[in-house]
Amino acid sequence: MMNYSVAVDRLHVERGGREVVRGVSFGVEPGTVTGLLGPSGCGKSTLMRSVVGVQIIRAGRVTVLGHDAGTRAVRGRVGYATQDPAIYPDLTVAEALRYFADIVRAPASDVSRVIGEVGLRDHADALIGRLSGGQHSRANLAVALLGDPEVLVLDEPTVGLDPVLRDELWELFTRLAAAGTTLLVSSHVMDEAARCHRLLLMRDGALLASDTPQRLRERTGESDLERAFLRLIQEVTT
Amino acid sequence: MNPVLALSTARRILTQLRHDRRTVAMLLLMPSILMVLLRYVFNSEAAFDRFGPALLGIFPFVMMFLVTSITTLRERTTATLERLMALPMGKLDLLAGYAVAFGALALVQVSIVTAVSLTWLGLDLAGSVWMLFLIAVLDAVLGMALGLFVSAFARTEFQAIQFMPVVVMPQLLLCGLFVPRDEMAVLLTWLSNVLPLSYAVDAITAVTGTATVQAGLLRDIGVVAGFVLLALALGAATLRRRTP
């Protein structure tokens, strides 16, 4: 497990008296994009919260860059974007990013860099609360990119975006991984899954599979990942 | 404790307020307007001299309580707090940032209402105006810390507003504004003895009433400062890095 950027070992999480993550283990190799797929409510977000270290867990261990998740040693080295934007609606994009840049000790030039990366250059001085849904979530994503974190945990970063933007963001993710960043990205869009190095298929709080897209296709004999996912569910439930 | 993070936070909060001009205008002008109103409701300088000073301490307390409880509740419900807690942001840095931002705002607020009271309304200030500012800012920070603390127990802004009658009103009734504290029933005097606003009002009354700094005044200021630290500690305890 020593070489993984993110290592999750027999993780159990309870929320509201229900076990939403049930004994999940996996490792994420450095410099790769790992896709976390599964229907809404399957425990993806809870798993990501655990990796970032803001989730109270019942059992198991989550290690990020060799340290326990959420401890002081890794807090500034992990970029995190929640599914619902967590960014001040009463600030402009540039103002909000400048604040978060201060916190992660990113250089001032980082603000305009990440604004460009998420395609918000024309809206840098717009109030976040007045942005459209897609722009809002891109502003939220931009916060996670500040300071070039070694690990990026992105919860549904492309939801509600038009195909061109989605494609651009996935190119960015691939580029970041090639430069050594480790990405854990959740999605429920299967064509995004094909662009990941590795896929984690989650259902009902448990991992159904952890494999490369290619091997998942081979294993299930399906060329389409959506159908491969269905086949895996059938295998488990029958 | 990292002063850079505290100052960044203070700047962020003040920038948020800058985008909300109506709130700023109300925060800065309402105490003065109420003070003018009070002066002419009494229509007697003697009565105004008795009530006016206490209000100089009470306004920043009440307003900062309200503003902070809503601001921090928003920070909690929009998950920006969770994001900050996942970053290298210390709880004390965040609290200090709030204290600096709202303390500065309180200073401006108090300056305006004091200037209006001393010039136009003819309020007599026997003691030092700096001491008056110090106490008023301390009151503001006290209101801020209590607001931050109670915001942990509200799920909606509607609920947060309801904490005002719970936390502020009893202190207002018992602080000696309406009836001197030692003339109340014993039980009520005791109760007023454990509430911070009583000491804040005692201190501000002492500053406006006498020119010399007496031991009682310093003790009152010390007590209010103690309550501020206690409320900040309670507030810090409600900021959690991990949540269920």
Side-chain angles (χ1 to χ4, degrees):
Chain A
M1 297 285 261
M2 276 316 284
N3 293 327
Y4 289 129
S5 291
V6 176
V8 175
D9 185 25
R10 284 162 289 175
L11 177 70
H12 290 264
V13 182
E14 246 174 45
R15 293 188 86 175
R18 218 167 59 84
E19 192 168 34
V20 290
V21 175
R22 303 180 293 142
V24 167
S25 301
F26 65 88
V28 180
E29 283 165 32
T32 61
V33 183
T34 297
L36 180 57
L37 303 170
S40 132
C42 72
K44 290 190 303 260
S45 297
T46 307
L47 181 57
M48 298 190 119
R49 281 169 49 85
S50 309
V51 171
V52 179
V54 295
Q55 175 68 50
I56 294 175
I57 62 176
R58 212 198 67 204
R61 187 160 187 213
V62 183
T63 325
V64 178
L65 301 168
H67 300 272
D68 282 325
T71 47
R72 191 184 290 265
V74 284
R75 245 183 261 142
R77 298 160 70 191
V78 180
Y80 172 44
T82 44
Q83 189 175 350
D84 294 323
I87 184 165
Y88 304 98
D90 45 1
L91 289 180
T92 68
V93 174
E95 285 166 351
L97 287 170
R98 197 163 70 141
Y99 175 51
F100 286 111
D102 282 351
I103 299 174
V104 298
R105 293 175 182 78
S109 59
D110 244 25
V111 170
S112 67
R113 174 182 65 89
V114 298
I115 287 176
E117 279 175 347
V118 299
L120 280 179
R121 221 177 272 294
D122 295 339
H123 301 278
D125 295 318
L127 275 184
I128 291 169
R130 300 225 180 100
L131 297 176
S132 73
Q135 292 163 348
H136 200 164
S137 93
R138 276 183 281 152
N140 187 50
L141 172 64
V143 178
L145 301 174
L146 287 166
D148 283 318
E150 292 155 72
V151 175
L152 273 173
V153 179
L154 309 175
D155 200 353
E156 304 261 4
T158 60
V159 92
L161 297 186
D162 81 73
V164 178
L165 268 168
R166 240 173 52 198
D167 189 58
E168 279 174 19
L169 285 183
W170 273 93
E171 263 167 31
L172 170 68
F173 299 161
T174 315
R175 211 164 59 232
L176 287 171
T181 309
T182 307
L183 292 95
L184 181 61
V185 184
S186 77
S187 171
H188 58 252
V189 186
M190 289 298 163
D191 65 340
E192 292 183 347
R195 308 178 73 156
C196 298
H197 297 101
R198 195 174 191 86
L199 293 175
L200 302 169
L201 299 188
M202 204 172 173
R203 193 162 189 266
D204 245 349
L207 275 192
L208 287 187
S210 161
D211 222 328
T212 62
Q214 183 55 32
R215 291 248 297 280
L216 277 172
R217 290 194 192 97
E218 284 166 14
R219 221 174 97 187
T220 53
E222 300 281 357
S223 57
D224 180 58
L225 279 171
E226 176 107 37
R227 297 205 57 83
F229 195 7
L230 277 173
R231 181 59 60 90
L232 280 168
I233 293 170
Q234 282 162 2
E235 275 174 22
V236 174
T237 48
T238 51
Chain B
M1 184 74 192
N2 182 337
V4 175
L5 293 185
L7 288 177
S8 295
T9 303
R11 189 178 60 187
R12 185 261 296 176
I13 294 166
L14 292 174
T15 311
Q16 284 178 291
L17 279 170
R18 215 188 59 221
H19 288 294
D20 186 358
R21 302 234 168 102
R22 196 174 306 174
T23 296
V24 174
M26 288 207 274
L27 275 175
L28 296 186
L29 299 180
M30 273 324 283
S32 303
I33 293 170
L34 291 174
M35 209 63 138
V36 172
L37 195 62
L38 183 81
R39 169 69 185 81
Y40 291 101
V41 165
F42 281 130
N43 213 11
S44 119
E45 220 156 79
F48 182 66
D49 274 343
R50 167 160 149 57
F51 285 93
L55 288 172
L56 288 179
I58 290 171
F59 283 138
F61 172 76
V62 176
M63 300 231 168
M64 293 307 152
F65 174 83
L66 261 183
V67 175
T68 317
S69 56
I70 300 290
T71 318
T72 48
L73 180 74
R74 276 195 197 152
E75 191 112 61
R76 289 174 205 274
T77 51
T78 59
T80 47
L81 181 66
E82 177 179 303
R83 176 164 240 162
L84 293 177
M85 290 291 104
L87 293 173
M89 165 68 83
K91 294 175 192 174
L92 281 180
D93 303 332
L94 188 64
L95 285 177
Y98 268 92
V100 170
F102 288 125
L105 195 64
L107 198 60
V108 180
Q109 185 190 53
V110 171
S111 307
I112 296 173
V113 69
T114 306
V116 168
S117 302
L118 294 182
T119 54
W120 178 8
L121 304 177
L123 188 76
D124 286 323
L125 176 67
S128 140
V129 71
W130 301 112
M131 206 61 144
L132 179 74
F133 279 169
L134 171 74
I135 299 167
V137 169
L138 213 51
D139 290 353
V141 176
L142 177 70
M144 182 215 93
L146 285 174
L148 191 114
F149 174 61
V150 302
S151 75
F153 303 97
R155 272 196 212 98
T156 62
E157 293 184 12
F158 195 47
Q159 287 179 1
I161 296 279
Q162 306 298 320
F163 273 107
M164 184 158 127
V166 176
V167 177
V168 174
M169 288 304 185
Q171 297 204 61
L172 216 54
L173 293 176
L174 293 167
C175 71
L177 178 66
F178 299 104
V179 175
R181 295 207 291 132
D182 47 14
E183 287 174 24
M184 291 187 281
V186 179
L187 188 67
L188 295 182
T189 306
W190 286 349
L191 202 52
S192 100
N193 281 343
V194 295
L195 295 174
L197 195 63
S198 310
Y199 296 92
V201 167
D202 281 357
I204 220 147
T205 314
V207 165
T208 45
T210 53
T212 53
V213 175
Q214 281 154 352
L217 171 62
L218 294 178
R219 189 207 60 201
D220 288 338
I221 292 177
V223 172
V224 177
F227 271 110
V228 167
L229 290 180
L230 181 67
L232 280 175
L234 288 173
T238 66
L239 301 174
R240 293 284 160 83
R241 292 230 183 250
R242 287 176 182 268
T243 48

